[in-house]
Amino acid sequence: MEHLRLLDILREHRGAYISGEEISRRLSISRTAVWKQINKLREEGYEFEAVSRKGYRLVFAPDKLEEGDVLEGLQTKSFGRHLNLMEVTSSTQEAARLLAEEGAPEGTLVIAEEQTGGRGRQGKRWYSPARKGIWMSLLLRPQRPLSFAPQLTLLTAVAVCRAIRKVTGVDAGIKWPNDLLVQGKKICGILIESVGEDERIKYCIAGIGIDVNVELEELPTELHTVATSLKIESGQTQSRATLISAVMNELEQLYNLYEEEGFAPIRHLWEALSVTLGKRVTVKTPRGETEGTAEALDETGALVLLDDTGNIITIFSGDVQLA
Amino acid sequence: MEHLRLLDILREHRGAYISGEEISRRLSISRTAVWKQINKLREEGYEFEAVSRKGYRLVFAPDKLEEGDVLEGLQTKSFGRHLNLMEVTSSTQEAARLLAEEGAPEGTLVIAEEQTGGRGRQGKRWYSPARKGIWMSLLLRPQRPLSFAPQLTLLTAVAVCRAIRKVTGVDAGIKWPNDLLVQGKKICGILIESVGEDERIKYCIAGIGIDVNVELEELPTELHTVATSLKIESGQTQSRATLISAVMNELEQLYNLYEEEGFAPIRHLWEALSVTLGKRVTVKTPRGETEGTAEALDETGALVLLDDTGNIITIFSGDVQLA
């Protein structure tokens, strides 16, 4: 933890030099130890100027997530309170699942600065560059029947969409069931993995990936027409910690509402944020393709289509493409 | 595999002696190798008499599951065809789940002669003594929405119940959703673990534990009033291999029916085998206790109760106690 205390001292002096001797005295460590900690911070992306007789000066701090910054913004009882912040992991979903199997409590949150094996729906690779986005997984233990699990998918989309709008002003909308789009481009992917026993939910892991501060030139070219980031859309760097806290706050509030009043209020919020309803869509399901106009969510969370012959078709599962 | 060929030879001669020399000649192995194989079989519980100048005689063969015996009885396309037969494992559910995550195909079956950490609903311990029962887990990859997963729970109960009746004549019935009872005592536990991604099923593991040849005196005393075995109920030792094949055959047939025609035909079969319908029941749910008369399954597989004030209550999840 010494390098974090060192960082605090350097931040106080940002722009001004502070001598190795003074740092050594304030942290009660040797000059050699100071030098080692400086190197450790350099490895994490911090940049310093070191001038003899003057000392060290912090010239660049990477946008590093600090646990304190996330906790400070929480207005929750449990969501985000058990926080596991990691520098790098293969997938926050896997990390959260291990914690769930070990009995971790509801609200446990795993965040990684970088994912080396981030995954989206159906095992598709999810691009998760270091410090540029929010890659996190929240453990839920809803006392609901397994058949209601898809409703949590819709609830999570509503919560994240509201948090993004509140914090950044970016006009995100929801494509059924839980993609968040801005002007047709994906800005956030959500993946709810549910584990059930017979007719009960054992636990759910809500995986949330938000492209926050990715620059247009950093985005792989093949993604330019289909993906965007909050920085690209809002024109400014966004605080990831603030957004994480806001997502937790919205999620816990909606989750409590769902526990108390069921799906009806969530359904209305989802419909209000939807970019799918009223549109002509093609839905790919395991049983073939269906075309029609997206009319509504039904009371279970399924998508209701009206096809060209006037038939009502209920879609429980599938990939929606907006025409 | 030499000890299995040796076993075949000894079985042919059951009751009669066969000389070490003849075995050595028929298997084309040395006399010392014959002696080693005999010792290997002894470790597995086989008993022999060895008399000089006469040779060996098989006097006791433990009821050991042989892969060939299970495969011989299969009339399936895929169920049970990828067979993993283990002497001992902590839990066949865990073993099957690992295989599922590695991409094993639908129909993969894990059977253990003994489970050291067998589990039932809600993590309850499941008593699984060596060679006395069927402890197995089947991997399913249904192309159905996650909200339909509880229907597979009911389907599995129907399949196992039909197989038990056909093979043993024991009059088993189903308590909602998937316990199998004989005269009110549990004879089989089923646990379907489902893993879903958003609104889709990724895979399901159908765990099936059948008390086959447990003797009354082997059953822990505290279970005497609540559990029984097929041997206790039928008065005779039952072939586990035959029963395993029969369960696979019934399951694949019903699963195909479900894929083609949906839940309606499964629902009728379930209702016909139910010991819950028409009875007064108490249901414990996460939201409290409900009492009433079990009237029907609804079209999603939920249990429909009629309470004392004439209200219809739909139970999606809970523990049913028959009054």
Side-chain angles (χ1 to χ4, degrees), chain B residues 124-127 173 175 179-189 211 216 219-229 232-233 320-322:
Chain B
K124 283 177 199 149
R125 204 177 127 59
W126 180 265
Y127 174 66
K175 189 185 85 167
D179 275 343
L180 297 193
L181 307 182
V182 178
Q183 313 276 13
K185 293 178 181 177
K186 192 156 170 174
I187 204 149
C188 169
D211 284 325
L216 190 58
L219 210 57
T221 320
E222 69 272 22
L223 297 181
H224 277 200
T225 53
V226 293
T228 185
S229 78
I232 295 169
E233 296 302 322
V320 166
Q321 288 186 318
L322 303 175

Side-chain angles (χ1 to χ4, degrees), chain A residues 141-156:
Chain A
R141 297 188 180 277
Q143 304 237 311
R144 288 271 169 176
L146 180 59
S147 53
F148 289 22
Q151 297 179 346
L152 285 171
T153 294
L154 302 167
L155 183 156
T156 305

Side-chain angles (χ1 to χ4, degrees), chain A residues 97 101 121-122 143-145 147 178 192-200 259 286-287 316-319, chain B residues 97 101 121-122 143-145 178 192-200 259 286-287 316-319:
Chain A
R97 199 154 148 179
E101 294 287 346
R121 276 163 79 101
Q122 301 179 280
Q143 304 237 311
R144 288 271 169 176
S147 53
N178 60 1
I192 310 284
E193 291 184 293
S194 303
V195 175
E197 252 185 32
D198 292 339
E199 79 294 354
R200 303 164 204 257
E259 286 284 307
R287 282 147 206 278
F316 291 96
S317 168
D319 280 319
Chain B
R97 200 153 145 179
E101 294 287 346
R121 276 163 79 100
Q122 301 180 281
Q143 303 236 313
R144 289 271 169 176
N178 61 0
I192 310 285
E193 291 185 294
S194 303
V195 175
E197 250 185 35
D198 291 341
E199 78 294 352
R200 303 163 205 257
E259 287 284 307
R287 283 148 205 276
F316 291 96
S317 167
D319 280 319

Side-chain angles (χ1 to χ4, degrees), chain B residues 290-307:
Chain B
T290 309
E291 260 189 72
T293 305
E295 289 289 319
L297 274 192
D298 77 6
E299 70 283 0
T300 72
L303 184 65
V304 180
L305 292 194
L306 195 65
D307 78 3

Side-chain angles (χ1 to χ4, degrees), chain B residues 6 10 13 15-23 31 34 38 42 48-59:
Chain B
L6 169 58
L10 286 160
H13 283 251
Y17 287 94
I18 176 167
S19 70
E21 200 180 338
E22 191 181 339
I23 298 172
R31 292 290 299 273
V34 170
I38 290 280
R42 280 195 168 122
F48 305 95
E49 268 177 22
V51 174
S52 54
R53 292 180 194 269
K54 283 183 164 177
Y56 299 97
R57 189 166 79 100
L58 178 63
V59 292

Side-chain angles (χ1 to χ4, degrees), chain B residues 98-113:
Chain B
L98 286 175
L99 291 171
E101 294 287 346
E102 286 165 7
E106 178 160 85
T108 295
L109 179 63
V110 177
I111 310 177
E113 287 282 18

Side-chain angles (χ1 to χ4, degrees), chain A residues 101-117:
Chain A
E101 294 287 346
E102 288 165 6
E106 178 160 88
T108 296
L109 178 63
V110 177
I111 310 175
E113 287 282 19
E114 183 178 0
Q115 290 187 112
T116 54

